[in-house]
Amino acid sequence: MKPENRPKTVFEGREYDDYQATQTQRRIEASIRKQKRLKTAYESAGLTDEATTANIRLRRLNEKYRAFSKAAGLPEQRERMKVSYVDDASTKKAAELKILRDAEAPI
């Protein structure tokens, strides 16, 4: 079947052709990697509330990834969501947030 004749995927009220579906899947994968890095940075900075919030967001993104992949008929490619490092930006953001929280905390 030619690409222009294939039915479009509908997810959350939006239509996606094959290319748009794969790009949306990649975007969700990138968001998951970013959230994993933030969660790790928060945990290493000792910010448990923020780490919990990041974990909740991570679970919601994983659910969205599963649902989108199923709706689009795309295979889930979990190896693309592995994080092999924590970037400096996430670590710096977590450290700055910890400094702010410590400064605001009553003695």
Side-chain angles (χ1 to χ4, degrees):
M1 186 181 275
K2 291 184 178 182
E4 59 270 3
N5 294 334
R6 287 190 200 135
K8 293 191 177 210
T9 302
V10 178
F11 183 75
E12 294 182 351
R14 293 191 61 193
E15 283 189 354
Y16 300 90
D17 62 19
D18 291 344
Y19 177 76
Q20 291 170 330
T22 58
Q23 293 305 302
T24 301
Q25 188 184 42
R26 301 301 173 268
R27 196 173 310 116
I28 296 170
E29 291 165 356
S31 297
I32 289 172
R33 286 191 304 271
K34 180 179 179 183
Q35 205 60 40
K36 284 181 178 182
R37 286 191 298 267
L38 275 174
K39 179 185 168 202
T40 303
Y42 288 146
E43 288 172 345
S44 66
L47 300 168
T48 56
D49 291 339
E50 286 78 7
T52 303
T53 303
N55 194 37
I56 292 168
R57 286 186 189 140
L58 184 59
R59 277 185 280 165
R60 288 183 182 159
L61 281 170
N62 278 318
E63 289 171 14
K64 182 177 180 178
Y65 181 77
R66 258 185 248 111
F68 183 80
S69 296
K70 184 176 180 182
L74 297 170
E76 291 183 27
Q77 299 185 6
R78 294 284 174 183
E79 66 275 2
R80 289 187 178 155
M81 292 184 280
K82 291 182 181 174
V83 176
S84 57
Y85 68 94
V86 177
D87 62 339
D88 293 332
S90 298
T91 306
K92 184 177 178 183
K93 181 178 177 181
E96 288 173 355
L97 188 58
K98 181 165 177 54
I99 290 169
L100 285 173
R101 296 288 159 103
D102 291 345
E104 292 174 357
I107 298 176

